[in-house]
């Protein structure tokens, strides 16, 4: 059992809290029993760390046993060490170190990814994770992160995504790269703006499509707006002039979901 916070493996886990270390190692930390289970199901886990004293969940113990049976390394640590490396208060006694995925934009296309969301320079990791979770919930294809912003493997993003991080492709690209790729692929781009011409409920959503959300601070620039085939708006009846990025994206996603469902999109893909 590892009982020292200076153990090299423990030092590595603590270092992975920093994006620079995650990028260099190609690893991230996954905390929470459900999230660890999703990472294991995706086959992305490099190793597990468990605190036998505090891992009381039968599901969590089953995950450890199954991982050991499949040859995944499992390292027991003391409760004190788990407390030192856990990002959450009252840790559940299990975390994973998982491989990060680096997906190339050109590996995506309309045949396999007909419905995508693109975010311009998002700054809040919780928003990014929540949007990825919504993408998974509605059956969209994946997420594009344009012109920098937060890392999808930030601990807060992983927690908010509720496992979707390991089941949906996420691509980082510049807006210029994205614009050329989207046009070449025949994607229809739906932008969002308070000055949009069409109410989001009245738009004719036609796949392959991309929902393009502007930055949290300034929305879409003139260059980004010019790429859009349609510019959509959310009606704002009160004094609020905007919504949280994750909330707004979720509203748009379910509007698209309902429109595509009426077109028979999901039935066709299931057959």
């Amino acid at each position: 059992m590892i009982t020292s916070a200076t153990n090299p493996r423990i030092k590595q886990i603590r270092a992975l809290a920093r994006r620079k270390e995650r990028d260099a190692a190609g690893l991230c930390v996954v905390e929470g029993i459900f999230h660890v289970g999703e990472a294991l199901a995706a086959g992305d886990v490099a190793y597990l760390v468990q605190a036998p004293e505090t891992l009381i969940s039968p599901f969590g113990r089953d995950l450890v046993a199954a991982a050991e049976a499949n040859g995944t390394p499992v390292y027991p640590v003391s409760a004190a060490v788990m407390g030192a490396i856990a990002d959450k208060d009252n840790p559940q006694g299990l975390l994973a170190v998982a491989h990060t995925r680096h997906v190339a934009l050109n590996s995506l296309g309309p045949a396999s990814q007909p419905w995508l969301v693109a975010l311009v320079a998002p700054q809040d990791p919780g928003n990014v994770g929540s949007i990825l979770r919504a993408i998974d919930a509605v059956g969209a294809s994946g997420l594009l992160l344009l012109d920098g912003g937060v890392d999808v493997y930030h601990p807060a993003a992983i927690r908010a995504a509720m496992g979707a991080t390991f089941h949906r492709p996420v691509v980082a690209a510049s807006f210029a790269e994205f614009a050329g790729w989207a046009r070449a692929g025949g994607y229809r781009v739906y932008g969002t703006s308070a000055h949009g011409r069409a109410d989001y409920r009245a738009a004719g959503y036609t796949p392959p499509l991309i929902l393009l959300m502007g930055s949290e601070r300034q929305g879409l620039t003139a260059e980004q707006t010019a790429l859009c085939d349609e510019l959509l708006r959310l009606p704002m009846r009160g004094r609020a002039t905007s919504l949280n990025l994750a909330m707004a994206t979720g509203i748009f996603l379910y509007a698209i979901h309902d429109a595509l469902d009426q077109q028979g999109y999901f039935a066709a893909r299931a057959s």
Side-chain angles (χ1 to χ4, degrees):
M1 178 176 291
I2 298 173
T3 59
S4 171
T6 61
N7 177 278
R9 196 165 300 280
I10 302 306
K11 290 173 69 175
Q12 179 189 48
I13 293 170
R14 297 179 72 172
L16 291 174
R18 300 187 294 273
R19 182 172 187 170
K20 178 180 178 181
E21 298 296 335
R22 292 194 296 271
D23 290 343
L27 297 170
C28 66
V29 176
V30 183
E31 193 173 346
I33 290 173
F34 176 83
H35 305 75
V36 170
E38 290 300 298
L40 283 166
D44 287 352
V45 171
Y47 60 87
L48 296 180
V49 174
Q50 67 148 335
E53 299 170 61
T54 57
L55 182 58
I56 60 175
S57 162
F59 176 62
R61 291 176 175 175
D62 287 345
L63 287 177
V64 171
E68 288 178 319
N70 290 329
T72 300
V74 178
Y75 300 99
V77 301
S78 66
V81 168
M82 180 61 75
I85 59 177
D87 190 52
K88 296 171 59 178
D89 294 332
N90 302 313
Q92 296 174 298
L94 180 65
L95 63 77
V97 172
H99 299 286
T100 58
R101 298 181 180 185
H102 297 282
V103 182
L105 182 61
N106 288 335
S107 70
L108 306 185
S112 52
Q113 288 84 29
W115 176 13
L116 294 160
V117 175
L119 307 178
V120 178
Q123 298 301 308
D124 187 318
N127 277 342
V128 170
S130 296
I131 290 168
L132 192 52
R133 182 179 180 180
I135 286 169
D136 184 65
V138 299
S141 308
L143 177 63
L144 310 176
L145 302 177
L146 310 179
D147 287 349
V150 300
D151 174 19
V152 72
Y153 293 106
H154 186 287
I158 291 178
R159 284 197 302 271
M162 289 298 291
T165 310
F166 307 104
H167 300 289
R168 288 289 186 270
V170 180
V171 172
S174 69
F175 184 82
E177 291 169 332
F178 161 73
W181 169 85
R183 283 288 170 253
Y187 282 97
R188 190 167 180 82
V189 179
Y190 295 85
T192 60
S193 169
H195 307 292
R197 293 179 295 276
D199 186 295
Y200 77 103
R201 294 161 295 192
Y205 298 106
T206 305
L209 66 89
I210 298 169
L211 175 65
L212 176 61
M213 304 295 294
S215 74
E216 289 133 317
R217 292 183 179 179
Q218 65 178 16
L220 295 175
T221 66
E223 176 191 8
Q224 292 156 4
T225 298
L227 179 68
C228 299
D229 297 288
E230 288 195 54
L231 203 59
L232 311 176
R233 70 178 186 276
L234 289 171
M236 307 295 291
R237 308 298 185 194
R239 293 182 62 84
T241 58
S242 64
L243 293 177
N244 167 275
L245 178 63
M247 179 180 287
T249 305
I251 292 171
F252 283 115
L253 281 173
Y254 269 96
I256 297 170
H257 171 278
D258 290 350
L260 296 183
D261 196 26
Q262 292 176 9
Q263 297 171 27
Y265 168 88
F266 296 104
R269 289 185 66 80
S271 62

